[in-house]
Amino acid sequence: MKLLTTIILSLITVIVLLTGNFYWQDRTQVNHFTSESANGKAVSNDDLIAETAHWPKQAQSDFKQALKDGKTYKIAIVGSKAMGTTKKGWAHDLKQALLHTYEHVSVSLFPYDVNSDQFIASNLYKKVADAQPNLVLFEPFILNDNGAVDPENAHQDLLTAVDSWKDAVTIIQPSYPLYQATNYPEQVSQLKKFVKAHKLVYLDHWEKWPDTNSEALKNDLKFENGEQVGPNAKGNAIWYHYVRDYFIAD
């Protein structure tokens, strides 16, 4: 009788232990179709793909494939010093937002104080290519080109860079607007037409800024010795929110 009781108790103990173990494994199992956001909330791959709703179709497809393959999707942000630095500016803020949202991406910043011709002649565009990005957000130094590089040359420089990033989807955007500029707005208009003619994506964040002849624009720009040298904190916020809303469709 004692032996039977001992056997029954032993069986009950084993069943309890196995049941508890199976329950714990079920609770802690990681589903390869989900990840966790920065706040610990589970995010499915479908949710992540939905956030790319505004991206070019090819970029959406590439991102979806990267998730499927378990690979990191690489984004490069390239442009003039107007984008800021690795520690501040709209590009830094966009990088943090992308990393916070997707986690499956890497974001590299390439700020250069050059014009289009110098960007090509110095082979800086090849440094971007070496990073093997899947997507490039490119501000092609149009403001630095103003008065220094002929628009036709600048457009050819743009194509040279884009062609070298052939495995990436490239999105073009202008630099920040200038108050009461004369030739610059027309050069930006030409850039927009050129980009669309070559079936590239153009992000027109100027539509969120005050008109270039409006006094209100001066409140969004930084001045040094009477010269417009870049967006101020308010201008950076305008620029950032525009590109952020494009790249993260929530």
Side-chain angles (χ1 to χ4, degrees):
M1 185 68 179
K2 288 184 178 180
L3 179 60
L4 180 59
T5 301
T6 301
I7 292 173
I8 292 173
L9 290 174
S10 297
L11 287 173
I12 292 173
T13 301
V14 171
I15 291 171
V16 170
L17 289 173
L18 287 175
T19 301
N21 184 55
F22 290 148
Y23 173 79
W24 179 251
Q25 287 183 352
D26 181 67
R27 293 284 292 178
T28 59
Q29 185 178 18
V30 176
N31 187 332
H32 70 282
F33 290 109
T34 64
S35 62
E36 285 196 353
S37 64
N39 61 15
K41 181 181 179 181
V43 180
S44 71
N45 284 359
D46 287 342
D47 290 336
L48 293 174
I49 293 168
E51 297 281 22
T52 68
H54 300 150
W55 296 18
K57 295 299 183 183
Q58 185 60 53
Q60 292 183 49
S61 177
D62 292 344
F63 179 72
K64 185 176 181 178
Q65 189 63 46
L67 288 178
K68 182 178 178 180
D69 296 340
K71 294 182 179 179
T72 298
Y73 187 84
K74 300 178 182 179
I75 298 174
I77 303 176
V78 186
S80 71
K81 291 291 186 178
M83 66 189 282
T85 66
T86 56
K87 295 183 178 180
K88 63 179 181 179
W90 69 261
H92 165 270
D93 293 344
L94 178 61
K95 176 179 179 178
Q96 298 307 311
L98 290 169
L99 294 177
H100 178 85
T101 299
Y102 294 108
E103 294 190 353
H104 300 78
V105 305
S106 66
V107 183
S108 301
L109 307 185
F110 296 87
Y112 296 113
D113 189 16
V114 296
N115 60 40
S116 295
D117 283 350
Q118 293 167 337
F119 183 65
I120 299 302
S122 300
N123 291 320
L124 296 175
Y125 69 105
K126 293 182 179 180
K127 290 187 176 182
V128 179
D130 289 342
Q132 298 181 322
N134 300 106
L135 184 150
V136 179
L137 175 60
F138 185 33
E139 178 243 308
F141 310 101
I142 185 169
L143 184 52
N144 291 354
D145 288 342
N146 188 25
V149 179
D150 182 83
E152 290 187 5
N153 287 354
H155 294 167
Q156 187 55 53
D157 290 338
L158 186 155
L159 290 182
T160 298
V162 171
D163 288 346
S164 75
W165 308 327
K166 58 184 181 297
D167 294 328
V169 173
T170 302
I171 298 172
I172 308 298
Q173 63 171 342
S175 191
Y176 62 95
L178 291 180
Y179 174 62
Q180 290 189 336
T182 52
N183 296 328
Y184 178 50
E186 177 57 29
Q187 290 171 338
V188 170
S189 177
Q190 291 174 12
L191 172 66
K192 182 176 181 179
K193 292 176 182 177
F194 180 81
V195 167
K196 292 190 172 182
H198 285 79
K199 300 187 184 305
L200 297 171
V201 178
Y202 185 83
L203 290 191
D204 192 3
H205 61 88
W206 276 33
E207 64 187 32
K208 294 298 184 180
W209 296 74
D211 184 85
T212 55
N213 290 317
S214 170
E215 284 280 334
L217 180 59
K218 295 169 67 175
N219 297 324
D220 303 326
L221 301 175
K222 181 179 179 181
F223 289 80
E224 290 182 359
N225 300 319
E227 296 290 329
Q228 304 172 62
V229 297
N232 59 20
K234 189 168 177 283
N236 271 316
I238 293 172
W239 198 342
Y240 162 71
H241 284 295
Y242 184 92
V243 291
R244 189 266 178 208
D245 289 348
Y246 176 83
F247 280 102
I248 304 172
D250 60 2

